[in-house]
Amino acid sequence: MAQQENQLFKKFLDLKNSSGSHSPSVMTLREKMPELDIKVDACFLSNPYATELFLKYLNDDLNSKLSLRDLLEFYPSTNEIISDQLSKAIDVDKRNIFVCNGAIEAIQTVIHNFTKDKIIVNIPTFSSYYEFVKPDIEVVYYRLKKYENFKLNIDEYIKFVKKNKPNTVVLINPNNPDGSYIEFETLDYILNELTDIENIIIDESFIHFAYEDKSLSPVSVTKLLYKYNNLIVIKSMSKDFGIAGIRAGYAIMSESKIKNLLKNGFLWNSNGFSEYFFRLYGNNTFLNDYEIVRKKYIKETSAFFKKLDTINRIKIYPSKANFVLIELINEKSSDNIVSDLLINHGVYVRTCSDKIGLDGNFIRLASRTFDHNEIIYDSLLSIF
Amino acid sequence: MAQQENQLFKKFLDLKNSSGSHSPSVMTLREKMPELDIKVDACFLSNPYATELFLKYLNDDLNSKLSLRDLLEFYPSTNEIISDQLSKAIDVDKRNIFVCNGAIEAIQTVIHNFTKDKIIVNIPTFSSYYEFVKPDIEVVYYRLKKYENFKLNIDEYIKFVKKNKPNTVVLINPNNPDGSYIEFETLDYILNELTDIENIIIDESFIHFAYEDKSLSPVSVTKLLYKYNNLIVIKSMSKDFGIAGIRAGYAIMSESKIKNLLKNGFLWNSNGFSEYFFRLYGNNTFLNDYEIVRKKYIKETSAFFKKLDTINRIKIYPSKANFVLIELINEKSSDNIVSDLLINHGVYVRTCSDKIGLDGNFIRLASRTFDHNEIIYDSLLSIF
């Protein structure tokens, strides 16, 4: 490695280490390492076509009926009013909806308020699910197996949960960081087996990228709430709609849990833009347009992953999300490859060296636009 | 009252009642009661000149270096990075700053995490300070006296606190809804007397409208944090900067309290626009321009309140905030006057009929632009 490259590598690792169990954002990288020429942010798990669509609607509205000043100046509506707006879009009674400042607020709120004694978290996972747990609560890890492609071993898992008797379990579907998917029928079976567990959290933040048949329609467990009172569905809008900066998310749970949360808090946790988004989400024209970009993105993503699978010396794990977990065979460190991709190719991918429950060297890579995916593919091909 | 007016009055009261202890927003009113012609929103406690200034900077930046897409698409920075940005603007160590999704998140977080056993809340007050308290905690009310113009009776208050031995006390300065102000020296004296109380919350959300001498400079207790480890300062940015839709706020507290909060939560509670605002807040050119509109607004507000004081049959209570509490002498109900102002004059003011600790009929009225203040004055004059 040339001396300059070495220095950049060190600087990047320092930034990464100071970001804890999350990657520094591209904006932070651009600010702190202006010498980098970042072409593709493949860390960033969102549908870029949906961002474009949202911006088109927002700009059209700003040019006609919507005032930017109104969005910024006035208090947004209260939680219950926004739940009412969202209710129509997702066909869930507003009394079961908890609107929040990004899914991360739902994760924190559910874990701080409803998790008692013990929680089972499947690893590898999104780290907040164990990092947000308060110190007096035991975290028990259930390990997804590499030799099973990180796919949940249903019967073993159910046995594990029943034996450990936690108050809360978490399933991310598709799972982050590997993209493994649990079918709706299977989740129904799991929920049916685990009615004794107080909280079954199913995080569907990536569900819009998953499908079970050729219609490419997502299959949400939301409707199972009326069958299983212990179900809590957590949903980010940042990934599917490509609007992480807005901080829009929600959770679906029993009416008594919602009442418990709203009776002494969470009054005004939406901002002007998230309220605008939740209103737009109830607009059928927007939803029809969204379906087009969602399916386009799924098809491109699937083709991209197939193409990546032809590269030697890397293993692509099966994914129904918009990202793929890649094992670097015979590599000493994923950090080296991440730095090489960033510094020499301008492709920013996520190292998984900080993820617990991963044996080996892994990177996680998001599908972006068709053109960006080509750049990612070419860069990987030139390295491996 | 004519029949149509009667119906509108009823509709408005229904909306008000469904909003709990808060007023329906003008946007909700416009949506649900389009037959109203609202000219002035005097419920809304913000400096409208500051909103204009912020919009000017935002639009200039959007036309040059800033991309709206970046604000909406990407993850904002984490709490600690934004604290670091804010640190320079408010001259407080970042280890003492808790950035939040509006001051309301700080109120909720502090009360849910640090309040134990008993809290003393002065009434009348901002209702969240007692509504957010969890059921197992006792709320003790200390009553501000009408005959003392709602000004805190310092020695009596200190005696009351020492006798009751709460774990938390709350002082809003200037107080909402009356605008009474406690001088810095007095707060220093109170803090010195109450070092045994675990949490002294001082809410300075309206402090930018208060001053102690001709310089019109606000005098914050923030710097007293290094003298009193139990001090918690809560600060909204919605009022002084006129940006409620962005949800920007922060709290200042001891390093151990901040660590306690950040170790298992509050990772990404800012949005793209609040991060933009906190960066702008560190910009000296912006701050110089802000000082101009802040002082202009204070001077107009003070002149407006003096003019209101000449109207018969209403009593104006002394205020150092951007709003004034008005007692309606010999009126049977403040709701009638609020409806009259809204329906017949297009002036939306806040009834205080839901405020605990107020004997009599009161409205709260915000200072707006010079022209809007003229409309408010003329409307009140025509009624009284």
Side-chain angles (χ1 to χ4, degrees):
Chain A
M1 229 186 278
Q3 198 191 342
Q4 200 210 348
E5 198 184 318
N6 230 324
Q7 279 172 349
L8 282 175
F9 178 50
K10 205 188 151 302
K11 207 166 162 186
F12 169 72
L13 283 186
D14 285 349
L15 262 180
K16 164 76 187 119
N17 290 335
S18 71
S19 302
S21 47
H22 301 277
S23 297
S25 71
V26 162
M27 285 168 98
T28 303
L29 276 183
R30 283 193 179 129
E31 194 178 283
K32 308 271 181 184
M33 299 182 69
E35 59 275 44
L36 288 178
D37 175 25
I38 307 176
K39 293 193 195 87
V40 181
D41 181 4
C43 264
F44 189 49
L45 310 176
S46 80
N47 178 353
Y49 302 126
T51 311
E52 277 160 28
L53 181 70
F54 174 76
L55 271 166
K56 184 190 161 297
Y57 272 82
L58 176 65
N59 282 322
D60 285 354
D61 284 347
L62 285 174
N63 289 327
S64 54
K65 61 189 177 183
L66 184 73
S67 139
L68 180 63
R69 179 169 179 151
D70 283 354
L71 289 183
L72 301 170
E73 181 176 20
F74 295 121
Y75 277 90
S77 299
T78 55
N79 206 309
E80 288 181 71
I81 289 178
I82 297 176
S83 295
D84 197 20
Q85 290 160 5
L86 179 57
S87 172
K88 297 154 205 156
I90 59 173
D91 194 23
V92 171
D93 192 300
K94 68 171 178 176
R95 287 168 297 188
N96 296 111
I97 303 175
F98 176 65
V99 169
C100 47
N101 186 34
I104 197 84
E105 189 181 38
I107 297 172
Q108 175 179 323
T109 301
V110 165
I111 288 183
H112 285 190
N113 286 276
F114 304 127
T115 297
K116 315 275 175 220
D117 309 321
K118 195 191 280 188
I119 181 171
I120 292 183
V121 177
N122 302 353
I123 53 171
T125 189
F126 180 60
S127 61
S128 296
Y129 277 110
Y130 55 86
E131 287 173 346
F132 283 8
V133 174
K134 298 236 172 182
D136 54 335
I137 289 164
E138 187 190 353
V139 180
V140 176
Y141 295 109
Y142 172 80
R143 218 180 159 90
L144 301 167
K145 285 112 194 147
K146 198 161 94 168
Y147 63 83
E148 292 177 334
N149 285 338
F150 303 104
K151 199 162 169 72
L152 188 69
N153 184 324
I154 307 302
D155 291 320
E156 186 195 80
Y157 175 73
I158 290 170
K159 212 178 284 175
F160 185 85
V161 173
K162 285 183 172 170
K163 193 183 134 208
N164 275 280
K165 300 193 195 328
N167 138 291
T168 303
V169 303
V170 182
L171 295 166
I172 309 181
N173 196 38
N175 193 42
N176 181 1
D178 54 275
S180 66
Y181 178 72
I182 311 166
E183 283 72 23
F184 175 83
E185 291 292 327
T186 310
L187 284 169
D188 191 4
Y189 171 75
I190 295 173
L191 283 159
N192 197 46
E193 288 287 325
L194 300 181
T195 50
D196 286 348
I197 309 298
E198 268 176 81
N199 312 298
I200 312 268
I201 300 175
I202 300 188
D203 184 328
E204 293 193 338
S205 292
F206 297 96
I207 199 81
H208 281 210
F209 309 121
Y211 49 90
E212 301 203 358
D213 62 29
K214 282 184 181 168
S215 72
L216 303 185
S217 298
V219 190
S220 169
V221 292
T222 300
K223 56 187 157 189
L224 293 178
L225 178 68
Y226 302 102
K227 198 167 162 191
Y228 307 109
N229 194 50
N230 58 350
L231 175 62
I232 298 171
V233 182
I234 290 180
K235 182 80 188 72
S236 165
M237 310 269 99
S238 300
K239 287 80 180 172
D240 32 21
F241 292 95
I243 49 165
I246 285 181
R247 314 307 299 122
Y250 64 85
I252 303 293
M253 60 189 95
S254 71
E255 191 179 341
S256 66
K257 285 197 180 99
I258 300 277
K259 275 190 178 161
N260 186 315
L261 296 176
L262 295 188
K263 79 176 174 211
N264 47 36
F266 306 102
L267 186 65
W268 281 302
N269 57 350
S270 291
N271 61 71
F273 281 89
S274 55
E275 177 165 13
Y276 169 78
F277 169 77
F278 282 124
R279 283 176 189 264
L280 185 64
Y281 194 23
N283 172 331
N284 283 331
T285 317
F286 171 74
L287 281 181
N288 289 338
D289 285 349
Y290 170 68
E291 273 305 287
I292 295 167
V293 297
R294 191 181 66 81
K295 287 180 182 170
K296 173 187 175 182
Y297 181 58
I298 286 180
K299 285 175 194 164
E300 288 185 8
T301 297
S302 166
F304 174 48
F305 292 172
K306 271 185 199 140
K307 207 168 156 185
L308 289 178
D309 209 15
T310 63
I311 300 176
N312 291 325
R313 289 168 48 214
I314 61 174
K315 175 170 176 178
I316 308 293
Y317 284 83
S319 170
K320 275 212 171 151
N322 63 333
F323 52 83
V324 72
L325 185 69
I326 299 180
E327 188 174 6
L328 312 171
I329 315 289
N330 301 326
E331 276 299 322
K332 278 192 204 118
S333 143
S334 59
D335 288 349
N336 284 333
I337 298 295
V338 168
S339 288
D340 189 1
L341 279 166
L342 179 65
I343 295 165
N344 300 318
H345 299 271
V347 173
Y348 185 36
V349 305
R350 196 189 190 297
T351 172
C352 291
S353 55
D354 58 342
K355 287 269 175 199
I356 58 173
L358 278 180
D359 278 339
N361 290 299
F362 292 87
I363 59 173
R364 191 193 63 194
L365 193 151
S367 168
R368 304 296 301 159
T369 61
F370 181 83
D371 292 346
H372 277 183
N373 289 349
E374 289 289 300
I375 296 174
I376 300 170
Y377 172 76
D378 290 342
S379 306
L380 281 171
L381 201 62
S382 83
I383 293 181
F384 294 105
Chain B
M1 230 187 278
Q3 198 191 344
Q4 197 211 350
E5 197 183 320
N6 229 323
Q7 281 171 348
L8 282 174
F9 178 49
K10 204 188 152 303
K11 206 166 162 187
F12 169 71
L13 284 186
D14 286 349
L15 261 180
K16 164 76 188 119
N17 290 335
S18 70
S19 301
S21 47
H22 300 277
S23 298
S25 71
V26 161
M27 286 169 97
T28 303
L29 277 183
R30 284 194 180 127
E31 194 177 284
K32 308 270 182 184
M33 299 181 69
E35 58 275 43
L36 289 178
D37 175 24
I38 307 176
K39 293 191 195 86
V40 182
D41 181 4
C43 265
F44 188 49
L45 310 176
S46 81
N47 178 354
Y49 303 125
T51 310
E52 278 161 28
L53 181 70
F54 174 76
L55 271 166
K56 184 188 161 296
Y57 272 82
L58 176 65
N59 282 322
D60 285 354
D61 284 347
L62 286 174
N63 288 328
S64 54
K65 60 189 175 182
L66 184 74
S67 139
L68 180 63
R69 178 170 180 152
D70 283 354
L71 289 183
L72 301 170
E73 181 176 21
F74 295 121
Y75 278 91
S77 300
T78 55
N79 206 310
E80 287 180 73
I81 289 177
I82 298 177
S83 294
D84 197 20
Q85 289 159 6
L86 179 57
S87 172
K88 296 154 204 158
I90 59 173
D91 195 22
V92 172
D93 192 298
K94 70 171 176 175
R95 287 169 296 188
N96 296 111
I97 302 175
F98 176 66
V99 170
C100 46
N101 186 34
I104 198 83
E105 188 181 38
I107 296 173
Q108 175 179 324
T109 302
V110 165
I111 288 183
H112 286 190
N113 287 275
F114 303 128
T115 297
K116 315 275 173 217
D117 310 321
K118 195 191 279 188
I119 180 171
I120 291 183
V121 177
N122 301 351
I123 51 170
T125 189
F126 181 60
S127 62
S128 297
Y129 277 109
Y130 54 86
E131 287 172 347
F132 283 8
V133 175
K134 298 237 171 180
D136 54 335
I137 289 164
E138 186 189 356
V139 180
V140 176
Y141 295 109
Y142 172 80
R143 219 182 159 88
L144 301 167
K145 285 111 194 147
K146 197 162 96 169
Y147 63 82
E148 291 177 334
N149 285 338
F150 303 104
K151 200 162 168 70
L152 188 69
N153 184 324
I154 307 304
D155 291 320
E156 187 195 78
Y157 175 73
I158 290 171
K159 213 178 283 174
F160 185 85
V161 174
K162 284 182 174 172
K163 193 182 135 208
N164 275 281
K165 299 193 195 332
N167 137 292
T168 303
V169 302
V170 183
L171 295 166
I172 309 180
N173 196 37
N175 192 42
N176 180 0
D178 54 275
S180 66
Y181 179 72
I182 312 167
E183 283 72 22
F184 176 82
E185 291 292 327
T186 310
L187 285 169
D188 191 4
Y189 171 74
I190 295 172
L191 284 158
N192 197 46
E193 288 287 324
L194 301 181
T195 49
D196 286 349
I197 309 298
E198 267 176 82
N199 312 298
I200 312 269
I201 300 175
I202 300 188
D203 183 329
E204 292 193 338
S205 292
F206 297 97
I207 199 82
H208 280 208
F209 308 121
Y211 49 90
E212 302 201 358
D213 62 27
K214 283 184 181 168
S215 73
L216 303 185
S217 298
V219 190
S220 168
V221 291
T222 300
K223 56 186 157 190
L224 293 178
L225 177 68
Y226 301 103
K227 197 167 162 188
Y228 306 108
N229 194 49
N230 58 349
L231 175 61
I232 298 172
V233 182
I234 289 181
K235 182 78 188 76
S236 165
M237 310 268 98
S238 300
K239 287 80 179 171
D240 34 21
F241 292 95
I243 49 164
I246 286 183
R247 315 306 299 124
Y250 64 85
I252 303 293
M253 60 189 94
S254 70
E255 191 179 342
S256 67
K257 286 197 179 98
I258 299 277
K259 275 190 176 160
N260 185 315
L261 294 176
L262 295 187
K263 79 175 172 211
N264 47 36
F266 305 101
L267 186 64
W268 281 303
N269 57 351
S270 292
N271 61 71
F273 281 89
S274 56
E275 176 165 14
Y276 170 78
F277 169 77
F278 282 124
R279 282 175 190 263
L280 185 64
Y281 194 23
N283 172 331
N284 284 330
T285 316
F286 171 74
L287 281 182
N288 288 337
D289 285 348
Y290 169 67
E291 273 305 286
I292 295 167
V293 297
R294 190 181 66 80
K295 287 181 181 169
K296 175 189 175 181
Y297 181 59
I298 287 180
K299 284 176 193 161
E300 287 184 9
T301 297
S302 165
F304 174 49
F305 291 172
K306 272 185 197 137
K307 207 168 155 184
L308 289 177
D309 209 16
T310 63
I311 299 175
N312 291 326
R313 288 165 49 213
I314 61 174
K315 176 173 175 176
I316 308 294
Y317 284 82
S319 170
K320 274 211 170 151
N322 63 334
F323 52 82
V324 71
L325 186 69
I326 300 180
E327 188 174 5
L328 312 171
I329 314 289
N330 302 326
E331 277 298 324
K332 277 188 205 122
S333 144
S334 59
D335 288 349
N336 283 334
I337 299 295
V338 168
S339 289
D340 188 1
L341 278 167
L342 179 65
I343 295 165
N344 301 318
H345 299 270
V347 173
Y348 185 36
V349 305
R350 195 190 190 295
T351 174
C352 291
S353 56
D354 58 342
K355 285 270 175 200
I356 58 172
L358 277 180
D359 279 338
N361 290 298
F362 291 87
I363 60 173
R364 191 193 63 194
L365 195 152
S367 168
R368 303 297 300 159
T369 61
F370 182 82
D371 293 344
H372 277 182
N373 289 349
E374 289 288 301
I375 297 175
I376 300 170
Y377 172 77
D378 291 342
S379 307
L380 281 172
L381 201 63
S382 82
I383 293 180
F384 293 106

